[in-house]
Amino acid sequence: MKTRHLQSEASAAIKPNEPSPERCRENVDVVVVGGGAAGFFAAITAKEHHPGLRVLILEKGSEVLVKVRISGGGRCNVTHACFDAAELTTHYPRGHRELLGPFHRWQPSNTVQWFEERDVALKTEEDGRMFPVSDRSSSIVTCLTEAARRADVKVRTGLEVRRVRPLTAGGFILELRNAPPLRCRRVLWSAGGMKAGPTTDMFSRLGHHIVEPIPSLFTFKVRDPLIEGLQGLSVEEVTAQLVGTKIRCEGPLLITHWGLSGPAILRLSAWAARELHASKGSLACTIRWIAHVDDPMQALKTFQSRNNKKQVSNTSPFSLPKRLWQRMLASVNHPTGKTWCQMNRAQLETLTNILMCTRFKVIGKSRNKDEFVTCGGVHLREIDFKTMESKILPGLYFAGEALDVDAETGGFNFQAAWTTGYLAGRAMAQRF
Ligand SMILES: Cc1cc2nc3c(=O)[nH]c(=O)nc-3n(C[C@H](O)[C@H](O)[C@H](O)COP(=O)(O)OP(=O)(O)OC[C@H]3O[C@@H](n4cnc5c(N)ncnc54)[C@H](O)[C@@H]3O)c2cc1C
């Protein structure tokens, strides 16, 4: 894990020719950098806890909440129906330890209630993902923008914060692109996933360590005769493992026209994000097609003895798509039309090996279009997870994907944004 740390300027005073506090055009109490899920939640929470505060969201784009709008295929997977804080943390490859306390303070049941109190009911799908009943992300966008308007949170778009400068007397000056600097007393950095560059360098100079940002949540490009032409087929419960590691994930698997996808693969890509990023070329994964059958050889033999006269290609002991099962049989030289009693021990053994551990060469990674996140960001040991305040620079707070926190798919990434945003907003309000 790489972290970047440049020469510290955390305590540097304002230098000549740089904006002095007096030349700043405005004085606000709290500036929230980034009009995304975490920023809106924090700003609304701060104002609702302390209505007298002047809270301003600065968004560099022309619109706010862009990711909320496009999330979940336009439906916004707001959170996950997992209401036990400890269990919830198991879905976070980065942040699982640090998020336990925050999830005891703000977890999916609070999120559900928050939206319901603002007239947006959520529904739970079979796999636990929660969406607005309307199935439209615009319900969430409207709810957040309305709540911000009612709470009198100011929002300005088209303003990019280039630099956060701490003042020796307390408070901050924010340098903006194409606009005069701004002065404020507290800053929440909720500008989403970082990219190595000026922002990470700026935080490094302020004394923070930035864990190298890399992508997470992708699918695997695979070319293999076993799955060729089977796009669209899914298998209920597989175990996917990255070869050469102990990282192994369970879940449904989807065969696509370019390779392997579905929750098991996306989970694996999240838990093995660093390993996948570091590997140069020779990547491979294995699939156990029947995750919960302890002894497939025995299961095959028992099935064989009970179904002797039946055609193997039409009767599988496991719940696998028929065309995939037939491909497996073809690879053990057991042609269509033959019966179970015609299958010899060697074929049973080879079939067992395929079912237990098919190895696929991964020739590339594709970004999962439905959800992707950044793994990496502000180092978690430098954050007080009760308040989301920086331990390096008091008055500076972090929330959302800017932190080295990310999750599997399923609404967990937004939940981290709501939780950290809420805690930061409440803590900032309590500091005045
Ligand atoms: C296509 C897609 C679909 C997704 N679907 C889901 C889903 O259904 N469920 C789920 O849980 N997660 C989903 N995610 C992940 C989720 O969107 C993020 O984890 C979440 O948006 C993070 O919230 P955030 O507020 O930290 O950052 P963001 O939502 O990225 O918001 C940060 C904002 O800050 C602004 N900004 C950046 N730099 C500056 C600056 N210097 N000055 C001012 N403004 C700045 C950005 O323009 C942006 O608007 C999806 C992600 C993608 C890409």
Side-chain angles (χ1 to χ4, degrees), residues 33-38 58-60 67 70-72 77 159-161 189-192 369-373 400-401 411-414:
V33 183
L58 296 179
E59 165 56 49
K60 75 171 178 184
K67 275 205 199 159
I70 60 167
S71 65
N77 180 191
L159 286 181
E160 180 180 352
V161 176
W189 191 270
S190 51
K369 65 178 174 27
D370 290 331
E371 182 176 348
F372 50 88
V373 283
E401 223 180 293
F412 303 105
N413 282 302
F414 275 139

Side-chain angles (χ1 to χ4, degrees), residues 296-310 312 315-317 334 339-348:
M297 181 67 176
Q298 191 52 49
L300 282 173
K301 279 192 197 154
T302 310
F303 192 85
Q304 185 182 37
S305 64
R306 290 182 189 153
N307 298 275
N308 241 322
K309 303 236 159 61
K310 290 191 181 151
V312 184
T315 48
S316 159
H334 196 82
T339 58
W340 275 98
C341 65
Q342 291 171 297
M343 188 176 268
N344 61 36
R345 188 179 169 84
Q347 286 171 319
L348 281 178

